[in-house]
Amino acid sequence: GVYVGLSTHDYAEILGDRASADWIDAHASLGNSAAVAAGRLAYTLGLQGPAMVVDTACSSSLVAVHLACQALRTGEIGLALAGGVNLTLRPELTIGFSKARMMAADGRCKTFDAAADGYVRAEGCGLVVLKPLAQAEADGDRVFAVIRGTAANHDGTSSGFTVPNGAAQKAVMRAALAQAHIDPVCVSYVEAHGTGTSLGDPVELHALDAVYGGGRARPLWVGSIKTLIGHAEAAAGIAGLLKLIASLHLECIPPHLNFKRLNPHIQVSTERVTVAAEGAPWEPIKGRRLAGLSAFGASGTNVHLIVEAPPSPLAPVPESDGSRLLILSARRASDLDRLAKDVLAAPDWRQACQEAVLTRDGLPHRLTVVATDSDELRRKLATAPRSRAGQPRIAFLFTGQGSQYPGMGRILYEREPVFREALDRCAEIARGRLARPLPSLLFDANRPLVATEHVQPALFALGYALAELWRHWGVEPIAVLGHSVGEITAACVAGAMTLEDAMTLIIERGRLMGALPAGGAMAAVLAPETDITQALAKAEGRVVVAARNGPTNLVLSGDETVLEAVLAELTAHGVESRPLMVSHAFHSPRLDPMLDDLEQTAGRIRFEPARIPVTANLDGQARTRFDAAYWRAQARNAVAFAEGMATLAELGCDTFIEIGPQPVLCGLGRACREDGAWMPSLRRGEDEQRTLLEAAGTAWRLGAPIHWRRALRITPRESAPLPPYPFRRTRHWLEKIPDHAVSPRTRWFGARLDSPAFNGTIYSDRLRPEDVPGLADSGHLVHVGLHLAFLAAALNQ
């Protein structure tokens, strides 16, 4: 939701002063509507909760915060932007306030002082991001303060429409305390509305004394930001909240300026309520730093907040030898270099990497780097590929037999809970059905993983756990392809069978194949199938094509002695080949004795329509339905990998993530098509977590929606924010128009000048009372100007 407090509309009124209506275009009316102040934010950021502008005069922005908190508490929204804005671009309101004797003659707001004679107008904007505390902590957000309670009411009938009502003020304070379940004596400080008028100040301080003053061990400190920056009117409440947040962070109560002697109309004991004229360290009461915050509108609407210091920060990120992922994104490619320099300049590069994940949005131009130290980070940033994020269409490729090695997945099992839980589910299903427990098969680096009855369940479990981890991170494929035994994992991940049924099928498949007699062999041949037809014909069916991995990449399988003869003939004709380290001749006639039993096992499985297409090994076509006959034929016939890659291309897949222990299919896939992005989940001999992070980073750089808080398992901790995004300043002011086209009162502003100092607009003329009708009677000298950075400057002191 977006909640904005806004009361004045000076810019629209300046446009309306043009003598001609030629300035009106399709955007003029909507662009200057007050509602657009909230609606444009929601539109730009893609927010679909309530978006509203609140106008309750000087309490507008704090009422906006109150409404946002209410929506969060009821569950209507999960996140809110709330604040307010005030700009003084015209003199009319200042003239009116001067006539009403509301303005301080010396340009100083002297809240609670005997010399208080009004306020001085201020301008600026402020915004806070609000979330339920538990959700913010779960998301790893940096928490600046906690709003414990809010309340709003109206003065009702008082001695005058603009005269404050002490009874209403006390009621709204008590309501906020009740919602927060806070004893008033636990509140150390109140950031008062404090307009600095001889009438309003006593009413407010007496109300504070009545609510907070009783039974205290030490006095309540009171102050007001208006003595620091003036009265920001619609933005006054959010300015007070930002000051309060800064005070809680610094653990000090800042000095309340322009205070020499208490207003004689204020009758409160300094032992109960004390103006913080000198400032003080903020000592907690009963272990908590709590504050109140008030805003009262001239319309009669009052609001009060109870604010507390954030929970104690967790320990800083410990130094580690592990790899860190840096992700950066920008609206323009040229801004990436500036962002990279900010990270390199950070005192703690590891923490800067985390902050980039936590606090930066996914903008179109992106880069990612994985590094183990700052030197490696610097080197890689200089050459890291930049990409404009799109909408990648992702396919998972599940590696087949021959890619396994002892210890595969062990690091992920130790470090990634989702991976471990998925693999443990597989191990529980396989309990008692394998010669050794599944984790032992996978992770025992001292015992080779070669027996088919062990390899197939191990590869299935690894592939299933990797797929679950990718999906937990937010990556969902639009299609899957598995090579040989990998197709069972692919079909399970696609939803064609349950994990229990898939484990049953893979265990029995491995057992049946492992029980076959030895004497089979396989070899890769780098030639078109037409070039080996004659040699295969001489084999009389005892050696066949087991896989078509590419136009010139075939796998032959069959009797070992016959295959040796075939390879010798091919070598004599200049055809390159290499034997494969396998235990049996898969996808060949040597499997025929076990096919009936395999089909019977598959026949006991209830297959469901797959949720996403599986490109079938039999013909390479997209398939969503399977049966027992399919798995019989799939084990016996050649793997149509090249045809399957062509089908993935027809489905629009352009990004391929290999789900297996080594990037075997990435290499085969590149040979089938020139385009596409290829990412292995693991590489033998490399740190598994780093390899997976690099793949996730590449996928995100291309536009995949990675859930980084899950991927990096970020927990709440003390943070060190990065510098702000490098904004490109663009002015959107009405064009200068000739004097004859301007109404007389617009000329009061004098000549407009661009001012680099203010990054906005100032006017060259100082206004004299005789220049402006009405000011001569007020006795005040007014200077109109813009100070767009006042709030940031005040809080940085």
Side-chain angles (χ1 to χ4, degrees):
V2 182
Y3 302 81
V4 177
L6 187 155
S7 293
T8 55
H9 313 89
D10 289 10
Y11 187 81
E13 292 173 5
I14 292 172
L15 289 177
D17 276 341
R18 295 194 178 196
S20 167
D22 294 341
W23 63 274
I24 299 174
D25 59 17
H27 306 286
S29 298
L30 281 179
N32 289 286
S33 164
V36 170
R40 179 68 70 179
L41 284 174
Y43 171 82
T44 301
L45 299 175
L47 310 179
Q48 294 183 316
M52 63 182 71
V53 167
V54 179
D55 184 0
T56 60
C58 305
S59 58
S60 297
S61 58
L62 213 58
V63 170
V65 173
H66 163 68
L67 293 174
C69 290
Q70 283 187 319
L72 288 165
R73 288 193 178 98
T74 61
E76 181 182 8
I77 57 174
L79 181 143
L81 303 179
V85 60
N86 189 58
L87 290 176
T88 56
L89 310 181
R90 296 177 64 88
E92 285 87 352
L93 280 177
T94 302
I95 294 169
F97 294 160
S98 295
K99 286 185 172 184
R101 304 287 178 176
M102 296 165 60
M103 307 293 291
D106 59 358
R108 294 290 183 268
C109 186
K110 302 173 284 295
T111 303
F112 305 134
D113 191 79
D117 60 347
Y119 71 86
V120 69
R121 301 187 73 197
E123 56 189 353
C125 67
L127 203 65
V128 291
V129 182
L130 303 174
K131 263 187 182 180
L133 177 60
Q135 187 61 51
E137 291 179 329
D139 291 342
D141 293 325
R142 187 181 185 205
V143 179
F144 289 89
V146 181
I147 298 175
R148 293 294 182 188
T150 71
N153 71 3
H154 191 272
D155 283 339
T157 301
S158 60
S159 58
F161 177 66
T162 61
V163 177
N165 186 330
Q169 292 182 14
K170 287 183 280 188
V172 78
M173 294 175 195
R174 289 179 175 132
L177 286 163
Q179 187 186 73
H181 303 289
I182 296 296
D183 187 333
V185 300
C186 295
V187 175
S188 308
Y189 172 77
V190 168
E191 175 65 24
H193 182 65
T195 49
T197 61
S198 57
L199 175 61
D201 287 357
V203 173
E204 180 172 12
L205 217 56
H206 289 150
L208 287 171
D209 179 63
V211 175
Y212 288 99
R216 305 188 64 86
R218 58 177 185 256
L220 174 77
W221 293 104
V222 178
S224 175
I225 194 172
K226 292 173 182 61
T227 67
L228 294 166
I229 64 170
H231 187 357
E233 296 165 353
I238 194 66
L241 179 57
L242 294 179
K243 175 197 170 186
L244 199 52
I245 291 169
S247 303
L248 288 167
H249 176 71
L250 297 171
E251 298 182 0
C252 74
I253 294 169
H256 175 89
L257 303 185
N258 309 324
F259 183 82
K260 296 179 180 178
R261 184 170 63 90
L262 189 67
N263 186 325
H265 298 292
I266 297 175
Q267 302 297 320
V268 298
S269 168
T270 56
E271 295 179 357
R272 291 163 59 97
V273 178
T274 298
V275 177
E278 303 297 329
W282 194 324
E283 300 295 340
I285 297 178
K286 298 182 180 181
R288 304 174 73 176
R289 289 185 177 86
L290 286 155
L293 170 63
S294 292
F296 308 137
S299 63
T301 298
N302 310 308
V303 62
H304 193 72
L305 270 59
I306 304 298
V307 182
E308 185 173 10
S312 298
L314 300 184
V317 180
E319 286 294 328
S320 168
D321 294 332
S323 301
R324 282 298 172 90
L325 171 71
L326 172 65
I327 64 171
L328 294 177
S329 67
R331 295 198 181 279
R332 303 167 186 82
S334 58
D335 290 342
L336 286 173
D337 292 331
R338 162 73 182 278
L339 294 171
K341 290 178 181 177
D342 288 342
V343 173
L344 292 173
D348 185 337
W349 73 274
R350 295 178 187 277
Q351 208 163 37
C353 289
Q354 174 178 284
E355 288 301 315
V357 173
L358 281 172
T359 62
R360 292 289 159 86
D361 208 348
L363 301 175
H365 295 276
R366 302 180 178 185
L367 70 80
T368 60
V369 167
V370 176
T372 55
D373 55 52
S374 58
D375 290 337
E376 183 183 13
L377 181 69
R378 191 179 304 275
R379 291 195 306 272
K380 286 194 168 183
L381 280 174
T383 59
R386 274 78 163 159
S387 300
R388 184 177 179 87
Q391 294 181 325
R393 295 175 63 81
I394 297 170
F396 282 176
L397 309 179
F398 292 85
T399 324
Q401 199 161 336
S403 60
Q404 73 278 359
Y405 55 87
M408 60 183 182
R410 182 177 61 83
I411 300 300
L412 292 182
Y413 187 81
E414 293 173 354
R415 299 179 183 175
E416 295 291 344
V418 171
F419 180 90
R420 180 170 58 251
E421 290 167 8
L423 199 142
D424 284 346
R425 289 199 298 273
C426 295
E428 183 61 29
I429 296 169
R431 184 190 297 273
R433 300 163 71 177
L434 297 172
R436 289 157 51 202
L438 194 54
S440 175
L441 293 177
L442 280 162
F443 307 141
D444 190 345
N446 297 319
R447 301 177 69 172
L449 186 57
V450 293
T452 282
E453 59 268 29
H454 296 159
V455 171
Q456 293 193 21
L459 282 173
F460 174 92
L462 179 78
Y464 176 80
L466 281 172
E468 288 293 282
L469 186 57
W470 276 108
R471 296 170 92 166
H472 177 70
W473 291 359
V475 178
E476 289 285 350
I478 66 164
V480 293
L481 179 153
H483 195 288
S484 186
V485 66
E487 187 171 18
I488 296 179
T489 322
C492 177
V493 169
M497 60 184 118
T498 66
L499 176 61
E500 290 77 8
D501 285 340
M503 280 296 299
T504 297
L505 180 60
I506 199 71
I507 290 171
E508 189 63 12
R509 188 181 191 270
R511 186 190 68 80
L512 291 171
M513 291 184 181
L516 293 172
M522 301 179 76
V525 175
L526 303 182
E529 191 166 356
T530 54
D531 290 1
I532 65 171
T533 302
Q534 187 174 357
L536 287 180
K538 295 178 182 179
E540 298 180 343
R542 297 174 64 187
V543 172
V544 296
V545 174
R548 297 180 179 87
N549 291 330
T552 59
N553 190 334
L554 305 173
V555 174
L556 303 184
S557 180
D559 293 351
E560 185 173 9
T561 55
V562 179
L563 179 60
E564 289 175 352
V566 171
L567 295 180
E569 180 177 345
L570 293 176
T571 301
H573 288 85
V575 175
E576 183 179 351
S577 65
R578 59 180 178 84
L580 301 180
M581 301 301 294
V582 294
S583 59
H584 293 78
F586 303 112
H587 301 282
S588 79
R590 294 186 67 87
L591 298 187
D592 289 346
M594 50 78 64
L595 295 179
D596 288 343
D597 290 340
L598 178 63
E599 187 173 6
Q600 287 180 9
T601 298
R604 292 190 288 270
I605 292 174
R606 179 178 177 178
F607 296 98
E608 299 289 345
R611 295 186 300 271
I612 56 176
V614 181
T615 53
N617 276 193
L618 282 180
D619 54 13
Q621 298 301 305
R623 175 187 289 264
T624 58
R625 293 186 176 274
F626 297 87
D627 55 23
Y630 176 85
W631 293 110
R632 176 192 179 108
Q634 190 265 1
R636 170 64 177 80
N637 296 330
V639 176
F641 177 79
E643 292 88 338
M645 290 303 301
T647 298
L648 290 179
E650 293 173 2
L651 293 173
C653 296
D654 53 17
T655 303
F656 305 92
I657 299 177
E658 183 157 357
I659 312 295
Q662 297 194 71
V664 176
L665 302 186
C666 285
L668 297 179
R670 285 192 182 97
C672 293
R673 53 184 295 176
E674 297 179 356
D675 60 343
W678 309 85
M679 284 146 275
S681 297
L682 300 175
R683 291 180 187 271
R684 186 173 186 175
E686 296 186 5
D687 183 275
E688 293 177 346
Q689 207 167 28
R690 179 182 177 121
T691 302
L692 201 59
L693 277 181
E694 288 175 339
T698 301
W700 178 84
R701 176 167 55 83
L702 298 173
I706 305 292
H707 195 307
W708 287 118
R709 295 183 190 278
R710 294 178 181 174
L712 302 179
R713 299 201 312 282
I714 292 173
T715 56
R717 64 186 72 230
E718 182 70 7
S719 58
L722 292 173
Y725 183 89
F727 283 100
R728 296 196 175 188
R729 309 286 180 176
T730 304
R731 294 184 63 236
H732 297 279
W733 196 263
L734 71 161
E735 293 300 322
K736 182 174 176 60
I737 52 180
D739 286 344
H740 65 79
V742 184
S743 69
R745 55 182 180 165
T746 303
R747 297 195 190 99
W748 296 340
F749 286 99
R752 194 182 79 235
L753 303 174
D754 290 336
S755 170
F758 289 108
N759 193 22
T761 303
I762 63 174
Y763 295 91
S764 62
D765 292 350
R766 285 182 175 270
L767 301 182
R768 297 173 298 173
E770 57 268 28
D771 292 335
V772 182
L775 277 187
D777 298 333
S778 70
H780 296 290
L781 184 65
V782 181
H783 172 56
V784 180
L786 289 183
H787 308 278
L788 296 181
F790 77 94
L791 188 56
L795 292 178
N796 282 333
Q797 295 303 314

